Amino acid sequence: MKTLLGFLAFVLLAQGAGGLLHEVSGRFELWGLVHRVGFLDGYEVYASVVLIVLGLAVGAASEKAGS
């Protein structure tokens, strides 16, 4: 369970960071998925921040599950 939560935390953090980098630099088009979701138009930055926070929370839960 700890490994699965750790992997999920990594994916969430990577997608959030990729979304923010895409919004700031205009690159990383193939890496992030936030800018591809149609109903998030105009809210990509907020969704990316939510993904990062959610990734941190899942990462903390994975550490708690390990002990």
Side-chain angles (χ1 to χ4, degrees):
M1 186 67 163
K2 181 179 178 182
T3 306
L4 178 65
L5 287 175
F7 176 73
L8 182 63
F10 172 74
V11 170
L12 289 170
L13 286 170
Q15 289 299 313
L20 284 178
L21 287 173
H22 174 73
E23 289 300 315
V24 171
S25 68
R27 297 181 182 178
F28 299 102
E29 292 181 13
L30 297 175
W31 192 40
L33 297 175
V34 173
H35 68 279
R36 296 177 188 257
V37 180
F39 66 86
L40 290 175
D41 285 342
Y43 298 102
E44 290 93 352
V45 173
Y46 301 117
S48 297
V49 170
V50 167
L51 284 175
I52 290 173
V53 170
L54 191 59
L56 291 173
V58 170
S62 74
E63 290 296 320
K64 190 77 160 178
S67 60

